[in-house]
Amino acid sequence: MAPTPCALCHTSRALIIRPKNHQKLCKTCFVTIFETEIHNTITANSLFHRGERIAIGASGGKDSTVLASVLKTLDERHDYGLDLVLLSIDEGIKGYRDDSLETVKRNALQYEMPLEIVGYDELYGWTMDQVVEQIGKKGNCTYCGVFRRQALDRGAARLGIKHVVTGHNADDIAETLMMNLLRGDLPRLARATGIVTDSTASEIKRSKPLKYAYEKEIVLYAHHKGLDYFTTECIYSPEAFRGSARTLIKNLERIRPSAILDVVRSGEDMAKLVPEGVGGGSKRAKDVVVIDGEEEGPGGCGSANGRASGGEMAAMEQKLRDDEKAQENEVEITVSTLNGQRHEGTNTVPKQPRTKAPRTMPKQQMGNCSRCGYLSSQAICKACMLLEGLNKNRPKMQIQVGVDEEDNSPTLTRRMEGLTIPPG
Amino acid sequence: MDITPCRFGTSDQSLETIPIAVEFSGGLELLFSNQRKHQISLPTKDEDGQTANVAFLVQYLCQHLMKDRRKELFVMGGTVRPGILVLINDADWELEGENSYELQNGDNVLFVSTLHGG
């Protein structure tokens, strides 16, 4: 086949075919247009202001590495006047995160950005290795997701930074949208499309400058720019690789590449149709819904910090399974919370069939967690709740917290209040 | 360069082969002995006597180079799994005719997974 010339410069050989419009571009023109489009996203949404300090949630993976590289390039090219910092979370997973952190350390040198690493061990007293040792591999992503969310905020707060950018890309958002659509989760459907996440659950603003960037183009950008990024799966969530929403999106892309952005745009349109009280547009509704500050779901499983990927999918699959087996779950709880039958009859949890409707949004006030002081809508924040479970050696708790983040926590609190757990 | 000679040489074959370089990245290398770059000698014809193309290469890699048993992480529905990019001499394979591209002496074929978490 004769080489195709670039559609823009008409001189160099085209190496890239753009998924969104089939445009055939040479390497140089592709790199330029990729950066320009992100610049357009940034300016159209007024994501940054001059002098702003920005923490880039950096995992060492492709998305956050490309984000850091592009933001540095654009900041210099267009004189944004930004103060860029890399913020990494060390979940404490040997053979996985320690390797990827080495990549982030190299990135910090390559991009001349300061690097802050926040460890689960220092924040929570538990590494993920220890958590998994205690609760097993099943459901550990819930812990990781809850912990990570807070860890990014705390890391930013430690640096005095109020804005964290993450590497979520168009594919991630399309996947999340499909999941929320399929499970009829209107509040999340409404929120998943936003380029900026701003809620009172957190003083830290989040944004996604790569929201309209195809994963394919991110990988090609990293390849053609020779960026140094890390790829390995989290050793605790191999199933994330097979997430069915992910597979669906990639299959759609193979048939019609523009489908990914079409899904993102449709999601934005659908978000506008979500009634206010359900958690769409109004700030107040958002405040209520994001009670645990976790609107992206447990974003564990080795994705870019907070990036919605397979882990969220795994969480959804878990939720679907659990929804089907709600009854079984109830039984599990009754049994598991007791650590034995000694207390049968005295401490049995009353069976409370989980009712789906009416799903009233509790009017909650944001306050501070009575344990750690972190912003929380509940007396005790979700991380502390999980920690309490860990510390008391009650592994099954995670299933309840992980399954119904939005409406189950009060129930859980009630249940916990009704229990007396023998020490040890 | 970490080029390792391919173990699947031409010794037992009377067929002609062409040398090509195959690379795996984005996590795919984990499925190929954790080795990013492989030099292989690809038979110039497939079993039906057709000139070796990318479809044949993928099948060949699956049978001869991939030790991992999870073939579905690389191949799905008889072709490269969606979400894996294929670059032929740095050009998107869609520009080269995808599966029907006939391999040339010294070609470099790169498979990059976009599926792994960043």
Side-chain angles (χ1 to χ4, degrees):
Chain A
M1 218 181 265
T4 316
C6 171
L8 290 181
C9 67
H10 306 291
T11 49
S12 303
R13 177 184 168 212
L15 293 179
I16 289 105
I17 179 161
R18 301 201 71 193
K20 63 196 262 181
N21 56 12
H22 297 277
Q23 201 174 31
K24 295 166 183 170
L25 299 180
C26 71
K27 188 165 145 178
T28 313
C29 290
F30 165 71
V31 165
T32 307
I33 206 166
F34 181 84
E35 291 164 350
T36 304
E37 287 184 358
I38 291 164
H39 170 65
N40 293 343
T41 303
I42 289 168
T43 50
N45 294 281
S46 309
L47 286 189
F48 307 131
H49 58 80
R50 173 162 290 278
E52 192 172 9
R53 296 187 72 207
I54 308 285
I56 302 170
S59 65
K62 59 185 180 341
D63 300 294
S64 55
T65 301
V66 166
L67 181 61
S69 169
V70 169
L71 285 185
K72 181 181 172 61
T73 304
L74 292 178
D75 184 43
E76 287 169 0
R77 182 178 301 158
H78 300 284
D79 190 26
Y80 291 165
L82 297 180
D83 184 0
L84 298 166
V85 179
L86 296 173
L87 175 58
S88 288
I89 307 300
D90 184 359
E91 296 91 346
I93 304 176
K94 282 216 168 51
Y96 168 66
R97 186 50 91 207
D98 42 358
D99 291 345
S100 60
L101 282 176
E102 289 307 311
T103 311
V104 182
K105 286 175 189 165
R106 287 197 303 275
N107 289 341
L109 295 175
Q110 290 154 1
Y111 305 141
E112 298 169 307
M113 292 179 194
L115 166 64
E116 178 83 5
I117 299 175
V118 187
Y120 282 5
D121 52 351
E122 54 172 318
L123 284 181
Y124 307 112
W126 288 80
T127 65
M128 277 310 292
D129 285 337
Q130 292 166 335
V131 170
V132 170
E133 196 177 310
Q134 171 140 336
I135 66 158
K137 288 191 181 184
K138 201 181 159 208
N140 75 83
C141 292
T142 300
Y143 289 79
C144 204
V146 170
F147 288 170
R148 172 181 291 114
R149 173 108 204 153
Q150 274 204 12
L152 266 182
D153 282 1
R154 285 165 184 269
R158 185 189 288 179
L159 295 164
I161 292 178
K162 292 202 181 311
H163 189 167
V164 175
V165 292
T166 54
H168 293 82
N169 58 45
D171 296 52
D172 295 330
I173 291 171
E175 285 158 20
T176 310
L177 274 169
M178 292 303 270
M179 279 159 35
N180 291 335
L181 187 63
L182 291 174
R183 66 180 175 190
D185 189 337
L186 284 184
R188 285 191 182 186
L189 179 66
R191 278 179 275 115
T193 55
I195 191 163
V196 176
T197 316
D198 218 350
S199 85
T200 54
S202 165
E203 287 175 325
I204 315 288
K205 170 180 164 183
R206 301 264 183 131
S207 66
K208 310 178 180 101
L210 301 183
K211 180 188 167 189
Y212 298 108
Y214 275 76
E215 191 154 56
K216 174 175 174 179
E217 294 199 345
I218 288 171
V219 171
L220 288 176
Y221 182 86
H223 171 72
H224 288 297
K225 289 267 286 189
L227 299 185
D228 180 10
Y229 70 94
F230 180 83
T231 46
T232 296
E233 292 220 45
C234 173
I235 51 176
Y236 294 138
S237 64
E239 78 274 15
F241 189 72
R242 295 189 292 273
S244 44
R246 198 160 182 68
T247 306
L248 172 64
I249 290 295
K250 296 299 186 224
N251 286 341
L252 280 175
E253 183 184 29
R254 181 65 65 86
I255 297 164
R256 199 179 69 150
S258 66
I260 292 178
L261 272 187
D262 293 344
V263 169
V264 173
R265 305 278 183 197
S266 302
E268 291 172 348
D269 290 341
M270 282 188 280
K272 290 179 196 147
L273 299 175
V274 174
E276 283 224 340
V278 186
S282 87
K283 178 86 175 165
R284 198 204 62 77
K286 239 193 255 177
D287 299 348
V288 173
V289 175
V290 192
I291 51 173
D292 47 19
E294 219 201 317
E295 82 282 359
E296 277 145 20
C301 47
S303 40
N305 293 326
R307 171 178 167 263
S309 79
E312 189 168 332
M313 189 59 221
M316 182 216 173
E317 284 169 351
Q318 179 69 43
K319 180 180 159 82
L320 289 175
R321 276 197 298 276
D322 288 344
D323 281 352
E324 281 170 22
K325 296 179 183 170
Q327 200 58 34
E328 277 177 47
N329 257 355
E330 295 299 329
V331 177
E332 264 178 45
I333 291 156
T334 313
V335 175
S336 63
T337 45
L338 289 177
N339 275 344
Q341 282 74 33
R342 286 166 292 172
H343 298 266
E344 222 169 304
T346 53
N347 282 332
T348 310
V349 182
K351 265 198 182 183
Q352 304 172 336
R354 201 184 303 158
T355 47
K356 278 282 156 201
R359 184 161 167 169
T360 49
M361 300 292 172
K363 288 192 170 56
Q364 307 214 35
Q365 299 284 323
M366 293 307 297
N368 296 90
C369 170
S370 61
R371 300 254 168 97
C372 67
Y374 187 76
L375 272 170
S376 169
S377 61
Q378 320 226 344
I380 298 172
C381 77
K382 206 166 158 188
C384 286
M385 201 81 97
L386 288 173
L387 283 171
E388 181 174 296
L390 283 173
N391 293 334
K392 286 190 177 174
N393 197 6
R394 283 182 301 162
K396 283 294 178 182
M397 212 180 102
Q398 43 94 12
I399 292 176
Q400 280 307 306
V401 179
V403 167
D404 273 350
E405 295 97 323
E406 281 167 23
D407 57 10
N408 209 50
S409 297
T411 319
L412 174 74
T413 315
R414 276 202 303 282
R415 279 182 195 150
M416 290 178 58
E417 282 163 357
L419 286 172
T420 49
I421 305 296
Chain B
M1 296 295 280
D2 54 344
I3 298 169
T4 311
C6 180
R7 270 162 283 179
F8 308 98
T10 57
S11 54
D12 57 339
Q13 294 169 358
S14 54
L15 287 168
E16 277 187 53
T17 63
I18 45 168
I20 63 166
V22 184
E23 277 185 78
F24 302 96
S25 74
L28 270 182
E29 61 272 33
L30 299 174
L31 300 177
F32 291 87
S33 319
N34 221 349
Q35 185 184 324
R36 190 186 155 99
K37 196 155 188 168
H38 302 254
Q39 291 291 336
I40 65 164
S41 299
L42 187 73
T44 51
K45 306 275 185 199
D46 66 15
E47 49 273 32
D48 299 324
Q50 302 296 311
T51 306
N53 58 18
V54 172
F56 173 64
L57 170 69
V58 168
Q59 182 197 331
Y60 181 89
L61 293 175
C62 233
Q63 288 169 358
H64 298 278
L65 196 60
M66 189 173 178
K67 293 282 172 53
D68 199 292
R69 271 187 276 172
R70 295 171 296 169
K71 307 287 183 195
E72 76 280 1
L73 298 184
F74 180 54
V75 173
M76 204 177 249
T79 186
V80 177
R81 182 187 166 111
I84 294 174
L85 308 181
V86 186
L87 302 187
I88 301 168
N89 301 321
D90 240 12
D92 193 319
W93 74 329
E94 289 177 53
L95 291 164
E96 305 289 340
E98 300 190 24
N99 276 317
S100 61
Y101 172 82
E102 293 180 354
L103 289 147
Q104 312 292 316
N105 197 320
D107 272 350
N108 183 299
V109 184
L110 168 64
F111 297 90
V112 195
S113 174
T114 67
L115 297 168
H116 285 68

Coordinates of all heavy atoms in Angstrom, one line a residue, chain A residues 4 13 246 268 275 313 338:
Chain A
T4 N 0.2 7.0 2.8 CA -0.8 8.0 2.8 C -0.2 9.3 3.3 O 0.4 9.3 4.4 CB -2.0 7.6 3.6 OG1 -2.3 6.3 3.4 CG2 -3.2 8.5 3.3
R13 N 4.4 11.3 6.0 CA 3.6 10.1 5.9 C 2.6 10.0 7.1 O 3.0 10.2 8.3 CB 4.5 8.9 5.9 CG 3.8 7.6 5.9 CD 4.9 6.4 6.0 NE 4.2 5.2 6.2 CZ 4.7 4.2 6.9 NH1 5.9 4.3 7.5 NH2 4.0 3.1 7.1
R246 N -16.0 -2.2 29.8 CA -14.8 -1.9 29.1 C -14.8 -2.6 27.7 O -14.5 -2.1 26.7 CB -13.6 -2.3 30.0 CG -12.3 -1.7 29.6 CD -11.4 -1.8 30.8 NE -10.1 -1.2 30.5 CZ -10.0 0.1 30.3 NH1 -11.0 0.9 30.4 NH2 -8.8 0.6 30.0
E268 N -23.9 13.5 28.5 CA -24.1 14.9 28.9 C -25.5 15.3 28.7 O -26.1 16.0 29.5 CB -23.1 15.7 28.1 CG -21.7 15.5 28.4 CD -20.7 16.3 27.5 OE1 -21.2 16.7 26.4 OE2 -19.5 16.3 27.8
P275 N -33.8 14.8 36.9 CA -34.4 15.8 37.8 C -33.5 16.3 38.8 O -32.6 15.5 39.3 CB -35.6 15.0 38.4 CG -35.8 13.8 37.6 CD -34.5 13.5 37.0
M313 N -15.9 -1.2 37.4 CA -16.7 -2.2 36.7 C -16.8 -3.4 37.6 O -17.9 -4.0 37.8 CB -15.9 -2.6 35.4 CG -16.7 -3.5 34.6 SD -18.2 -2.7 34.1 CE -19.3 -4.1 34.2
L338 N -21.1 -12.1 63.8 CA -21.1 -12.6 65.2 C -19.8 -13.4 65.6 O -19.6 -13.6 66.8 CB -22.3 -13.6 65.4 CG -23.6 -12.8 65.4 CD1 -24.7 -13.8 65.6 CD2 -23.6 -11.8 66.5

